Amino acid sequence: MPLSEFELIERYFRDCGHRRGDVILGVGDDAAVLQCPAGAQLAVAVDTLVEDVHFPRGSSAQSIGHRALAVNLSDLAAMGARPAWALLALTLSEADERWLAQFAAGLDALARAHGVALVGGDTTRGSMSVTVTVLGHLPPGRALQRGGGAPGDALFVSGTPGDAAAGLALEQGRLPPCEQAEYLRRRFLFPTPRLALGERLRELASGCIDVSDGLLADAHKLARASGCGVELMAAALPLSAPLLGAVGMPRARELALSGGDDYELCFTVRPHALERLACELPPAEWGYRRIGTLQAQPGARVMDEHGVLEASSSGYDHFAAP
Ligand code: ADP
Ligand code: MG
């Protein structure tokens, strides 16, 4: 017996995520009813994952569930918001119960880890796509923004960018299997949204963006929004040992700069706030590193030991995908 739409929602999505007291009405009615904390502002983001575009056909359903939420939580992290609720619009070509169970498990685990309740959605038949909307809270007027940077601000990135791009290349067979494959594949399949860091940065950073299209392109977006240019130091890029082991040095740098799918935070800090940043968020503990500086001169430049390694007005065009 094929699963009806009603049964599908009941079985997999009614109790998905954290059970929150501020969900007055969740899955099951015509709309969700949510209690906002008094005085808070809402931060809202939506992102769609399309099969063959954002994940290869036949990807692990658990990973698709995780990533669909993670990419949205990463957007809230970049705003310094705390996530609370999510909605899921799911389009499937068939109701495959094994797939659904794994998909829901991936979504559920990440939602619970961050106290997020799934409060509603929509289920339709068609080519597979997954759209998640997240809602989170912010103290009024305190959102981190892309446009808050200024010339002279230090530029930082969290985590080890480039891992996910290598993981995707492994998934797609464009990179031969290697010892580091399991770690790198997981970095693509199960990205970690940097929510705790984003919330702490609200008081410390001048600007912030999450890295989804490649570090250089996204750093350039932040710089442009701030009316600046940006200079990155290639030697300062935080490259993971598995990435270096798998692809070697020049390639690891290229992947870190242009790879995509990292879901790390790229942020700027005013010179006078650097000491406070290091003191309140010790870099070794919080996992971030300084990689450059905003400058008055527009554009994005990557410097290595010999001078300008790459200069571009559009940011990332010259770096080919692996
Ligand atoms: P309606 O036709 O009134 O829009 P639906 O039958 O589409 O209602 O949905 C019934 C309930 O199930 C609603 O509360 C809706 O938010 C929820 N829902 C539907 N699909 C999903 C889903 N994929 N994930 C979570 N909740 C869902
Ligand atoms: Mg209705």
Side-chain angles (χ1 to χ4, degrees):
M1 260 296 270
L3 208 59
S4 76
E5 187 185 318
F6 174 79
E7 288 166 330
L8 184 160
I9 295 164
E10 284 293 309
R11 193 164 304 170
Y12 298 107
F13 301 118
R14 178 182 277 289
D15 291 311
C16 198
H18 188 69
R19 195 180 289 265
R20 292 178 63 101
D22 55 11
V23 179
I24 311 304
L25 278 175
V27 171
D29 218 308
D30 287 311
V33 177
L34 309 168
Q35 184 66 54
C36 291
Q41 289 182 338
L42 273 182
V44 185
V46 61
D47 252 314
T48 296
L49 300 187
V50 176
E51 187 173 54
D52 289 333
V53 179
H54 300 98
F55 56 87
R57 191 170 296 253
S59 280
S60 131
Q62 196 189 343
S63 157
I64 297 169
H66 176 103
R67 288 183 79 240
L69 181 60
V71 302
N72 281 285
L73 293 180
S74 179
D75 282 325
L76 289 194
M79 304 303 291
R82 177 177 295 184
W85 310 302
L87 295 146
L88 166 68
L90 189 57
T91 306
L92 296 173
S93 52
E94 56 173 343
D96 176 336
E97 289 225 45
R98 255 192 53 182
W99 191 93
L100 276 162
Q102 287 174 14
F103 172 85
L107 185 72
D108 179 67
L110 185 64
R112 280 175 202 271
H114 294 288
V116 173
L118 185 67
V119 298
D122 194 26
T123 306
T124 52
R125 193 180 285 265
S127 328
M128 190 198 288
S129 85
V130 185
T131 299
V132 170
T133 304
V134 289
L135 301 97
H137 305 135
L138 272 168
R142 302 315 307 263
L144 275 174
Q145 295 173 46
R146 297 178 179 188
D153 285 5
L155 184 83
F156 295 84
V157 73
S158 66
T160 51
D163 293 351
L168 175 59
L170 283 160
E171 280 286 286
Q172 295 179 326
R174 288 179 290 117
L175 201 64
C178 56
E179 209 183 302
Q180 300 83 2
E182 190 49 33
Y183 166 88
L184 294 170
R185 285 178 60 248
R186 280 196 67 83
R187 294 274 291 148
F188 171 76
L189 295 171
F190 297 96
T192 306
R194 304 296 180 187
L195 286 154
L197 179 62
E199 273 201 66
R200 294 297 301 273
L201 287 176
R202 226 163 46 208
E203 304 301 322
L204 292 159
S206 50
C208 190
I209 187 169
D210 78 313
V211 180
S212 52
D213 296 339
L215 177 57
L216 185 53
D218 289 322
H220 194 190
K221 276 186 215 163
L222 183 156
R224 261 199 309 257
S226 299
C228 310
V230 62
E231 184 174 291
L232 277 75
M233 301 168 292
L237 290 169
L239 306 172
S240 75
L243 180 65
L244 279 167
V247 302
M249 182 45 117
R251 197 78 193 115
R253 273 187 188 170
E254 285 170 17
L255 290 175
L257 286 168
S258 66
D261 295 309
D262 297 306
Y263 301 103
E264 296 295 345
L265 295 183
C266 177
F267 57 96
T268 53
V269 176
R270 297 265 195 269
H272 70 78
L274 287 172
E275 207 171 308
R276 211 182 127 207
L277 175 75
C279 180
E280 291 186 21
L281 303 180
E285 196 179 307
W286 285 81
Y288 66 88
R289 185 187 287 180
R290 179 164 184 181
I291 54 164
T293 308
L294 292 187
Q295 297 178 330
Q297 185 191 350
R301 292 163 291 283
V302 182
M303 314 297 288
D304 72 0
E305 303 77 8
H306 312 292
V308 177
L309 174 70
E310 274 297 335
S312 116
S313 53
S314 56
Y316 61 101
D317 290 2
H318 305 290
F319 293 93

